[in-house]
Amino acid sequence: MGGAVDEPDGTSVVDHALLFRSTPTPYLVLSPDLTIVEVNEAYLWATGRTRAELLGRHVFDAFPGNPDSSDASGVPNLRASLIRARDTGRADTMALQRYDIPDGAGGFLTRHWSPMNVPVRDEAGRTVLLVHRVEDVTDFVRERDRSRADRARGEDLRRRMEEAELDLYARARELRAALESQGVATRQLTTLVELAGQLAGCETVAALTEVVIDRGLAALGADGGAVGVRDQGRIRLTLTDSLGGRTRERYADLPLDGPLPACTAARRDEVVLLPDRATTLAWSDEMADVLDDTGLRRWVALPLRVGDRLLGSLTVGWRDDAPFRPREVELLGAFAAQCAQTLDRIRIHQAQRRTSETLQRSLLTEPPPTAGLTVAVRYHPAAEHEQVGGDWYDAFPASDGAATLVIGDVTGHDRRALAAMAQIRNTLRGVAYLMGAPPAGSLAALERVLAGLKVEALASTVLVHLWAPGQVGGDPRRARLVWCNAGHPPPVLIGPDGAARLLSRPVDPMVGLGIGRSRRDHQLLLDPGSTLVLYTDGLVERRHEVLDEGLERLRAAAARLHHLPVEEFGDALLAELADVPSDDIALLAVRVTG
């Protein structure tokens, strides 16, 4: 077993030096005077340095402070923590820390770390070594800062939401004094104010309708109702179950000049009040059918309007006859105003989502046919409308005839991530084809191009070259696979017998970190019938679950479904694993066929 040495008595002794070198967490070992005495491979990869550059040097000579940084606290904070750990004999955990590192060309790379310093003591309790453990959290900090910037760009939309909520609250305050003596109305008012917060959290028209119908109408003491949305000269109505099956089937889709009060409110921006059975029957012949089917006698229809734009209507019905009091109509108007603001926000975001998704799909072209290989690609958008942007796949021939396959994910979920994805995808296409280099060389060149063009984006990606059996550059009987992984979830390989495994080779840093280090290729020979699966993290990541659980779920599903033709395999894998994803999913499956 790697990392263990068998003793004569049959026991095993752990090779701690090998363990230290191989652990994926970056570690630096210092003497009490802060001289570097040992370093593991993960630390070298995280900082872009070599052992020769670090061993025997004082830590702050090897990693001086950035004189141009706006935050010069990195060196004094780290020094103070190391001294505390050394002198107290207790581990010292630091707060998230900016500490720029030299880039090897006289400049500095902006980096953020989560450090911890641990003393190693001898039998007498004296500190003989210090272990400096770090986690590179630069990706997290950049994503957090981008999210803050995105929130700032959305300030106008939020301001409109806040204005609508304040308007509802102001109306509620104005009405509260007048309704204090009316217990039922006061309870309705309180409930509707609470509903304002629920409406603000709605992300779809279906969710808006659920809040309005299932909660809002109940708070109003109503017996049924409908939300209508204008759509190219028509009004699409979502009605409560209490409105009867015939009414819901017949009047779900009407022209704006249709016979129901909902149509008039949505077309003419008017409040329609039908206080009793007689008034309802006199409105139109169709209302007699509605009354017979639903049993509702009293109706109000209110326009849903934002500024000068009519979005639809809100219709409410009751079983009893009663005149509408002015205060009741005003309360309904306040609720309709909040519904309109929510509907407007939802429609704006859905339009943005459709535009972004259309652009994204236009970039994800179908793979060209390749002799000896069958390729299936899928793109599955997130369920949440704002989650769009950085996932992509690609497949194209290399200059030597090999199939070039790519899966990637740009950090972020907005249109800026989508733009960065397009830049990175197209640049990688050109670099990989023109250079004709192995995957690691192409990704290293991509890193240089992005840095030179000032493309500020981070992306994880797997780049694959695959030669079919018998193809020049491959093997006579088996396919030859060469790949490089830049910070991406591991590919899944399923053999002809259905045995599936993760290709969890050492992973290189993401593209965009500016680390000028060579990258590593890995290679395998694949028997005919083997299937390789590349995917983005939306397929395996779930909230409140460790990533290993999602990876194992994918591995098991891929093994179970391997007998399907590759196109059906891709569909079945998504159907089983993509259940209402919170992130976009890109998927590429390739099978060796001959």
Side-chain angles (χ1 to χ4, degrees), residues 17-29:
L18 177 61
L19 181 65
F20 175 78
R21 290 196 301 271
S22 303
T23 184
T25 302
Y27 285 96
L28 192 68
V29 182

Side-chain angles (χ1 to χ4, degrees), residues 49-337:
R49 308 295 286 275
T50 65
R51 289 174 61 83
E53 291 173 324
L54 298 182
L55 294 183
R57 300 186 64 188
H58 192 277
V59 64
F60 296 115
D61 291 336
F63 296 101
N66 181 358
D68 298 325
S69 173
S70 59
D71 181 358
S73 62
V75 168
N77 287 350
L78 178 57
R79 178 182 283 112
S81 176
L82 289 167
I83 292 173
R84 275 196 305 272
R86 181 192 67 188
D87 295 348
T88 64
R90 294 191 297 270
D92 191 85
T93 301
M94 301 178 65
L96 187 147
Q97 191 71 45
R98 174 175 174 178
Y99 198 126
D100 298 347
I101 61 173
D103 62 3
F108 284 82
L109 298 172
T110 300
R111 304 294 283 277
H112 297 267
W113 312 87
S114 176
M116 182 178 184
N117 299 305
V118 180
V120 179
R121 295 184 292 174
D122 61 14
E123 295 180 355
R126 294 170 300 189
T127 299
V128 293
L129 291 172
L130 287 165
V131 177
H132 175 57
R133 189 221 70 185
V134 292
E135 290 288 348
D136 187 348
V137 294
T138 307
D139 293 354
F140 165 77
V141 173
R142 289 178 177 174
E143 182 64 22
R144 180 197 65 188
D145 292 345
R146 285 173 179 162
S147 296
R148 289 173 177 171
D150 292 341
R151 288 196 297 271
R153 284 190 293 272
E155 185 61 34
D156 180 62
L157 180 58
R158 283 193 301 278
R159 185 171 61 252
R160 291 167 60 188
M161 291 172 56
E162 290 169 0
E163 288 172 354
E165 292 164 4
L166 289 172
D167 178 69
L168 178 62
Y169 181 72
R171 291 169 185 254
R173 290 289 299 271
E174 293 169 2
L175 291 170
R176 188 179 300 276
L179 295 173
E180 283 179 351
S181 62
Q182 303 176 28
V184 173
T186 303
R187 287 193 297 274
Q188 291 177 350
L189 175 65
T190 302
T191 303
L192 290 179
V193 172
E194 293 173 353
L195 283 170
Q198 298 178 22
L199 288 171
C202 292
E203 301 292 349
T204 64
V205 175
L208 165 65
T209 304
E210 179 183 351
V211 171
V212 171
I213 290 176
D214 292 349
R215 302 168 202 170
L217 298 185
L220 294 168
D223 299 303
V227 174
V229 179
R230 289 174 56 122
D231 183 11
Q232 297 182 348
R234 303 190 68 81
I235 181 168
R236 319 288 181 183
L237 288 164
T238 303
L239 305 96
T240 59
D241 292 341
S242 61
L243 292 187
R246 189 171 62 191
T247 298
R248 285 187 289 115
E249 181 178 345
R250 182 177 300 175
Y251 299 115
D253 186 346
L254 293 170
L256 276 175
D257 59 357
L260 299 190
C263 303
T264 300
R267 183 180 81 255
R268 298 172 57 180
D269 191 19
E270 294 179 0
V271 176
V272 178
L273 300 174
L274 305 177
D276 49 43
R277 185 177 187 275
T279 311
T280 297
L281 292 174
W283 176 264
S284 67
D285 294 340
E286 287 78 5
M287 288 303 293
D289 292 336
V290 172
L291 194 151
D292 289 342
D293 190 36
T294 67
L296 305 187
R297 304 158 61 97
R298 181 166 65 114
W299 296 88
V300 60
L302 305 106
L304 297 179
R305 173 172 41 82
V306 174
D308 58 356
R309 290 179 293 119
L310 274 172
L311 307 180
S313 62
L314 170 65
T315 305
V316 187
W318 293 263
R319 296 188 184 280
D320 61 321
D321 290 348
F324 287 103
R325 298 183 301 274
R327 294 167 185 167
E328 183 181 10
V329 176
E330 188 170 0
L331 189 64
L332 287 165
F335 185 53

Side-chain angles (χ1 to χ4, degrees), residues 479-503:
R480 179 175 169 233
L481 168 69
V482 180
W483 81 97
C484 180
N485 188 335
H488 200 78
V492 178
L493 178 63
I494 311 103
D497 59 353
R501 59 186 172 118
L502 300 170
L503 299 184

Side-chain angles (χ1 to χ4, degrees), residues 30-42:
L30 309 173
S31 66
D33 65 356
L34 308 186
T35 297
I36 300 171
V37 297
E38 189 54 272
V39 59
N40 71 347
E41 291 294 325

Side-chain angles (χ1 to χ4, degrees), residues 451-485:
L453 296 177
K454 309 295 185 187
V455 178
E456 296 185 358
L458 292 176
S460 67
T461 185
V462 175
L463 177 60
V464 170
H465 283 178
L466 186 59
W467 290 264
Q471 185 178 1
V472 176
D475 182 85
R477 293 180 302 277
R478 294 184 290 177
R480 179 175 169 233
L481 168 69
V482 180
W483 81 97
C484 180
N485 188 335

